[in-house]
Every structure is written in structure tokens, then in C-alpha cells.
Amino acid sequence: MAGLELQHIEKTFGRTRVLHDVSFEVSDGKFFVLLGPSGCGKSTLLRIIAGLEPQTRGSVSFGGQCVDDVPPSDRDIAMVFQHYALYPHLTVKENLAFGLKMRREPKSVIEARIAETAALLEIYDLLDRKPKELSGGQQQRVAMGRAIVRKPKLFLFDEPLSNLDARLRASMRVELKKLHRRLGTTMVYVTHDQSEAMTLGHAVVVMNRGRIQQIGRPEQIYHEPANPFVAGFIGNPPMNLFEGSYRLDQRQLEFLMGDLTFRFPFQAHERIGAGTGTATLGVRPEDVTFEPEGPGHVASTGTIDLVENLGNDSIVHIMVKGQSLMARTSFGFRQHAGESITIYVKNFHLFINDNRIPLPSL
Amino acid sequence: MMHRPILLGGILLAVLGSLCPFLWFVLTSFKSQIQVEAIPPTWWPDGSLVFYASALFEHRLLHYVRNSVTVAGSATVIALIAATPAAYALARLRLPGKTWILGGLLCVAMFPPIVIAGPVWQILERLGGLNTHWGLVLPYVSLTLPLAVWILTTFFHELPIELEEAARIDGCTTWQALYKIMLPLAAPGLFTAAILTFIYAWNEFFFALLILTDPERQTLPVGIALFQGEFIMPWGEIAAASVIATLPLIILVLLFQRGIINGLSAGAVKK
């Protein structure tokens, strides 16, 4: 059942407004990710959904029912906290049982659910231990178990993997995805880690400074970023962004930066009329190549500044006409710093007035 | 390296300085009447238990112990019951003027008790609280509350709020979250507050003397002070009684020390 809907949520702390008119809908059973840099309001939003924090304005509904006046205990949700928040004076088993006991489930049900959850998360051996006797990864599993065992309508995750080391984080990510497929329950997941967002989410909300920047499928957000913020935030290494100006006439759109000019076949339309103004041009490091791959690719020459070897690929920093640019090559890049190089760009992103202007593919 | 001997000397001096009177009392309590009055004084007692017997049976020391346990015990329990929700609210709620409340509590705690002696006596007289145990418990509670609230506020403040939120999501009301999750974790704070309150009430002399004139109800410090007659000063008995009066405190502190030191909240949150 539990689809989630947020309507015009606003939140102010004292005089600071941390959320501005946030609205979105999560359909039942989806994995929904709130992504953004720290301080963007994503955790506050999650806490509002949980009922731990009252919103200043707007409303939250579960499955079409407004829950604004429902306390967290009655929202039938489970939350996994960043720092796990396991009850330190209770054993793992008691931690798992706590929520069920509070809901006065019969003992047999509690036992069965704990057994089921412990098997699912492979924490059977830990049941009699106290949280402080567990490793970080084990604590994480128990925290997850405490949420699963309740069989809630909605799972909320507040950066649950951020305290784990890189390797464990990667494996937990996979497990989490499997878990979601298995349980089929709606999940809302807060993270600042774009790779978590991209791999886990059916849909991703990118937030910055308390505002939604873009909502979309992971690939949509990657390929068609709505504005320069999203373009620069998603992707590793980040998209190369260049500030410049544009000139649009009947036949073509020009992007001007210093003595560089890029021309795109383009028709003026209602969103931007003919004229000039400031603009941002974006190039993904993956879209920079050293061999021409198509006829329309824009070519230029530059000097290699630095080569970062990452094993199976390399990040090449290149100075092109006074501008620094990053390129990502798949493998076998043999050139060194100081050498000159010809680059080809196979795809551009253009933003005018902070909005994406769809360009025809080259 | 130069600091070490100086530090050690300082520590030794402090420990000896504060222990000396106690040592003297303990030694005295095991002396005989002749040794107590000997001039020059003798250091080592001959291990007589005469004074203990006299304090316990002639001066009915146990009866004072019972009174003290009643008064100090009730004062502690009541102070904690009142301080816990107050401290919890001060630590967790966004109250306007919270710092003023805490500051005010601290100011009140600084007042010399004699300032309120007159009013307390008058109030108790009106309420019929003179010469009753509850009449003594009442001022003890109000005098120890500020300290208890401060200690507990600090403890609640340090407990991660996520734990409480987890409890609320797990189905607890605010009160349930308090006594099922927060209180067990604040146990070290509770122990500390309890011990300090208990020690205060156990040792308090001035109000006890003021409010309890009936020997049947008097507490240990008053009882022991009134050992002396018009012409005699029974040093030995007083020493023995003082040792007996101190023992429960030492035992309590030793027992609860573990509870205080054991950081029960370890493992709650990944640091």
C-alpha cells in the first residue's frame, strides 16, 4: 500500500529556512533516494517523514492518508540511523524484539520474526551479544535487522552506510539492493554519496540548499542534469563546467568563452529567444576522447597537466587554451605530463539561466 | 621529570591532610578510656571495643542509624524522582530561557542554608512538620534538587538523541522512551546524583538540629553531637559512633563507584 507523498513541505529553524517548498511522490515499493551535499536539508526531510520533526508548512501522507498529526510511534515506519542508535543496554535479540514488544506482539510471533530476520541478515550468532561487542559492520546489520523485524510499511535510511569502510560499504550496498527486492517495501534513503544513489535508487531527488534540484531516474540525472549544480554534483570525476556567454540567432547557438567559440545547430524556441546572455557549458570527462569517434566531434589541442592512474582507467588533466579540463580514458593511456594532445568532445551540456538547454547530439 | 617528585609530594600531602582527622578518630575509637585521656597522647590503641559497645548500647546508636537511613533514603528517592523529569526536559526540550533556569538553579544551590532556616522553620511549624521525619526530608529535597538536576541534565545531554528517536519510532511514547531507554543509560548519572544527595542528607547537621528536638527522631549527626553531657566529653564513644556513621557511606561509594565508572552508554553510538 504505502505510497508516500510530500506536499509543499517547508521547514524553518528560528530564522533559517532549511526546506523550501519540497514536494514529491514515491510510489509503493520503490527505492527512493534523497541525494545532496551535507546541510542540504535531506536529513531534515527524512525526519519530517518519520514524524520526529514537525514541518513548518505542508503535509505528509502515506497511502493517501495525511499523517501530519500522527506520532512516529503510530506511523508504522522503521528507520535506520547513521550512527545505528542500537540500545546499548540490551542484547541484539532484545534490540530486535523491542519494537515488537512495544506493539504487544505475542511472544511466539516475536520469536519467529527474530529467527526470520536473523537468518536473512546472518546475525544468528550475535543474538546474545551487546552492541558494544559488535564490529561496525555487525552493528550496521543489527540496525538493519531492527528495522526489518517490524515489517513496517515504510523504511527510512539516514546515511546508513557512511560509517563503514569502503569495501564493507560496497558489499552492504549490494545487500541492501537485494533486500529491497526481496521485501518489496517502499524505502526512502538519504545519502550524500552519489554512487549509492545511482546504484540503489529507482528514483533520485537531488537537493541543494533546501530545494529540490531535480527528480528523476539515476540515468536521467546523469545524462540530462537539470542545472549546473546537478551536473557538477553527479559523476566522478565531476563534469567540467565552463562559464561563458551565448549568442542565439535564427540558425545557430554560439557559446563563447575567451577566444573560444562553440557553434551548435539550434532553433530558438519559447524557453530562450534570440539574444545573448551568460551561460554554462558542461563536458563530462567520459565524453572527452583522444581519437575521433564520430564526424561531428569537436576537436582542440592542449597540453597534459597531470595524469592520475586509477588502475583500469586514468583521469587526464589537460590545459586547453587556458582552461583546465578533465578527461577519463578507459585504459592504456601512455602519454605523460607536458606533452601536447588532441582532444575530441562527443557531447556537450549547456545551461542558460540555470536551466538545461537540450542540444542536438553531435 | 622534575615535576614528578613535586606532584607526588602534593598528592601525598592532600591525601594525608584530609585523612588525618579520620585516622585519628579511627585510632581513638579503638582505645581504652585511659589511653584517650593520656598525656602525652598515645598513638597506637590497644584494640579495645569498649567504646563501640558503649556507643551502640548505652547511647542507642542504631536507633539514630535507623532514623538517618529513613531520612536520607527518602530524601534521595524523592529528589531523584523530581529531578529526573526536570533534567530530561531541560536537556531535551527547546525551552525558552533554559540557560536562565539552569543558572538560577546553580544560584539557589550556592545560598548558605542558614538563609532559609527561619522560613523553613515557620513553614514546617504551620504544616505540623516540626519533629517529624518528613519535615526534615522536605528541606533536604529542596536543597539537593539543584545539584541533582544539574548532574542529570548533563548526563541526558550527552546521551545521543538518536536513541530516543529510535525508541519513539519503535513505538514508545516520550515517557516510555525515558524510562525504558534513557534512564537505564543515565544510570551512572543517577548513581552520582543519588550518592551526593544521600551523603548530604546523611551528614546534614544544622537543619536536623533545628527541626528535630525529640531524641526519638533525631538523626546520626545530631545524635552523636548530643552524646556529650554537661560535664563530660565522651571522646571515645563519639569516635566509635563516627566510624560507624561513616562506614555506610564508604560502602555505598565503593559499591556504586563501579556503576559510575562503567560507561553504560559505550557502544550506543559509533564514535
Side-chain angles (χ1 to χ4, degrees):
Chain A
M1 72 93 305
L4 165 69
E5 193 178 354
L6 269 67
Q7 285 174 322
H8 308 294
I9 298 289
E10 273 184 32
K11 177 71 186 173
T12 48
F13 286 115
R15 278 186 210 147
T16 338
R17 183 177 289 190
V18 293
L19 290 173
H20 304 259
D21 192 24
V22 172
S23 303
F24 60 74
E25 212 175 310
V26 184
S27 44
D28 188 21
K30 291 290 187 239
F31 200 120
F32 197 78
V33 178
L34 302 177
L35 174 69
S38 53
C40 72
K42 56 192 191 301
S43 284
T44 307
L45 195 58
L46 196 75
R47 292 165 53 80
I48 289 174
I49 298 172
L52 293 171
E53 194 84 62
Q55 64 270 34
T56 313
R57 260 202 219 138
S59 85
V60 180
S61 20
F62 293 173
Q65 296 234 295
C66 172
V67 294
D68 292 344
D69 298 322
V70 181
S73 51
D74 298 335
R75 289 193 181 191
D76 200 7
I77 51 173
M79 185 156 167
V80 178
F81 292 85
Q82 183 175 7
H83 302 283
Y84 315 142
L86 298 174
Y87 309 127
H89 57 304
L90 304 179
T91 63
V92 168
K93 191 171 180 178
E94 289 163 340
N95 262 283
L96 296 179
F98 188 80
L100 298 169
K101 275 191 191 151
M102 290 309 301
R103 288 183 163 70
R104 301 182 192 288
E105 297 282 356
K107 220 171 174 162
S108 55
V109 174
I110 297 181
E111 289 292 330
R113 292 266 195 92
I114 289 178
E116 195 184 332
T117 307
L120 185 67
L121 291 172
E122 293 166 19
I123 51 173
Y124 227 101
D125 302 339
L126 310 177
L127 285 180
D128 293 325
R129 297 209 204 153
K130 291 270 179 73
K132 67 179 166 199
E133 296 164 324
L134 306 177
S135 70
Q138 289 170 330
Q139 289 183 1
Q140 220 285 329
R141 277 168 183 276
V142 175
M144 214 81 104
R146 191 174 61 180
I148 294 170
V149 80
R150 291 238 323 272
K151 301 202 169 165
K153 286 190 293 194
L154 176 66
F155 283 100
L156 304 174
F157 295 94
D158 190 2
E159 311 213 14
L161 306 184
S162 62
N163 279 323
L164 302 178
D165 61 56
R167 183 191 290 238
L168 207 51
R169 194 155 55 218
S171 72
M172 278 310 288
R173 205 165 65 197
V174 176
E175 280 196 49
L176 204 58
K177 187 150 184 143
K178 285 185 189 158
L179 198 67
H180 176 256
R181 197 184 301 157
R182 191 151 164 180
L183 300 173
T185 313
T186 317
M187 295 185 173
V188 179
Y189 188 100
V190 162
T191 182
H192 63 267
D193 180 345
Q194 48 162 311
S195 52
E196 277 173 26
M198 300 307 252
T199 48
L200 289 171
H202 289 116
V204 178
V205 175
V206 184
M207 293 182 63
N208 189 34
R209 297 188 178 185
R211 290 177 203 277
I212 290 182
Q213 304 294 320
Q214 186 172 5
I215 304 182
R217 296 187 312 280
E219 62 275 15
Q220 216 172 359
I221 283 174
Y222 179 82
H223 290 296
E224 296 162 22
N227 56 39
F229 174 80
V230 178
F233 191 72
I234 305 286
N236 187 25
M239 185 186 281
N240 300 290
L241 290 172
F242 306 100
E243 299 297 327
S245 57
Y246 76 93
R247 185 165 46 203
L248 179 62
D249 59 25
Q250 295 308 318
R251 291 170 295 109
Q252 63 177 10
L253 175 69
E254 285 178 330
F255 178 79
L256 309 135
M257 179 178 61
D259 50 4
L260 273 174
T261 306
F262 298 90
R263 290 191 181 79
F264 304 100
F266 192 80
Q267 301 257 303
H269 54 69
E270 70 279 0
R271 288 236 322 265
I272 47 165
T276 61
T278 57
T280 306
L281 188 73
V283 176
R284 286 233 178 260
E286 298 85 312
D287 290 335
V288 181
T289 60
F290 306 115
E291 302 288 336
E293 288 179 15
H297 290 180
V298 178
S300 186
T301 53
T303 317
I304 299 175
D305 206 19
L306 180 78
V307 180
E308 289 180 80
N309 199 335
L310 303 178
N312 66 349
D313 55 5
S314 304
I315 312 294
V316 187
H317 298 249
I318 306 158
M319 289 301 287
V320 184
K321 307 221 161 109
Q323 297 284 338
S324 171
L325 177 104
M326 275 189 281
R328 184 177 193 148
T329 68
S330 48
F331 62 93
F333 186 74
R334 297 250 172 266
Q335 284 185 270
H336 302 287
E339 296 175 5
S340 79
I341 191 167
T342 306
I343 60 163
Y344 300 87
V345 177
K346 51 181 178 182
N347 194 18
F348 286 99
H349 300 265
L350 184 67
F351 306 96
I352 292 175
N353 297 331
D354 261 2
N355 282 317
R356 173 186 183 77
I357 304 302
L359 294 172
S361 56
L362 300 174
Chain B
M1 281 294 106
M2 280 294 290
H3 297 309
R4 247 184 115 84
I6 301 172
L7 274 177
L8 266 174
I11 292 168
L12 228 63
L13 207 69
V15 171
L16 275 179
S18 49
L19 271 184
C20 251
F22 288 103
L23 270 176
W24 189 244
F25 259 97
V26 175
L27 291 176
T28 305
S29 72
F30 290 107
K31 286 175 182 171
S32 63
Q33 191 63 38
I34 297 163
Q35 274 185 311
V36 167
E37 288 163 6
I39 294 175
T42 45
W43 283 98
W44 292 112
D46 56 13
S48 148
L49 292 175
V50 177
F51 289 141
Y52 282 91
S54 159
L56 284 174
F57 305 117
E58 276 171 45
H59 293 279
R60 300 199 304 142
L61 189 70
L62 287 182
H63 146 82
Y64 295 119
V65 170
R66 197 162 44 238
N67 285 342
S68 269
V69 169
T70 312
V71 171
S74 336
T76 307
V77 171
I78 295 172
L80 283 190
I81 290 176
T84 304
Y88 186 64
L90 283 169
R92 281 290 187 255
L93 303 183
R94 289 186 199 127
L95 292 174
K98 193 156 84 174
T99 40
W100 286 100
I101 297 174
L102 279 168
L105 279 175
L106 206 60
C107 284
V108 170
M110 297 296 155
F111 275 26
I114 196 151
V115 174
I116 60 164
V120 164
W121 196 87
Q122 285 184 334
I123 292 170
L124 288 178
E125 196 197 17
R126 292 265 173 83
L127 297 176
L130 292 179
N131 259 321
T132 64
H133 282 160
W134 69 259
L136 190 55
V137 168
L138 208 62
Y140 282 0
V141 168
S142 44
L143 285 167
T144 50
L145 256 181
L147 186 66
V149 170
W150 260 87
I151 292 172
L152 288 175
T153 305
T154 320
F155 260 87
F156 282 132
H157 208 81
E158 280 171 10
L159 291 176
I161 196 159
E162 282 189 341
L163 282 175
E164 195 185 321
E165 293 176 344
R168 282 171 64 197
I169 286 179
D170 263 345
C172 288
T173 61
T174 306
W175 279 101
Q176 285 172 324
L178 173 62
Y179 74 81
K180 279 185 194 280
I181 301 296
M182 299 319 256
L183 269 193
L185 295 174
L190 284 172
F191 285 139
T192 314
I195 279 187
L196 291 178
T197 308
F198 191 85
I199 290 177
Y200 172 85
W202 185 264
N203 288 337
E204 206 284 333
F205 176 72
F206 174 66
F207 278 101
L209 185 67
L210 185 75
I211 292 164
L212 304 175
T213 46
D214 177 2
E216 281 308 308
R217 300 219 157 72
Q218 280 163 346
T219 54
L220 264 173
V222 178
I224 295 174
L226 298 182
F227 273 13
Q228 59 174 295
E230 205 171 340
F231 303 110
I232 49 159
M233 180 53 102
W235 282 121
E237 281 86 349
I238 290 177
S242 302
V243 171
I244 294 175
T246 318
L247 274 179
L249 292 190
I250 295 177
I251 293 170
L252 267 184
V253 170
L254 288 182
L255 276 181
F256 283 132
Q257 199 183 20
R258 275 178 57 104
I260 296 167
I261 293 171
N262 273 347
L264 274 173
S265 67
V269 157
K270 200 179 165 192
K271 297 259 159 52

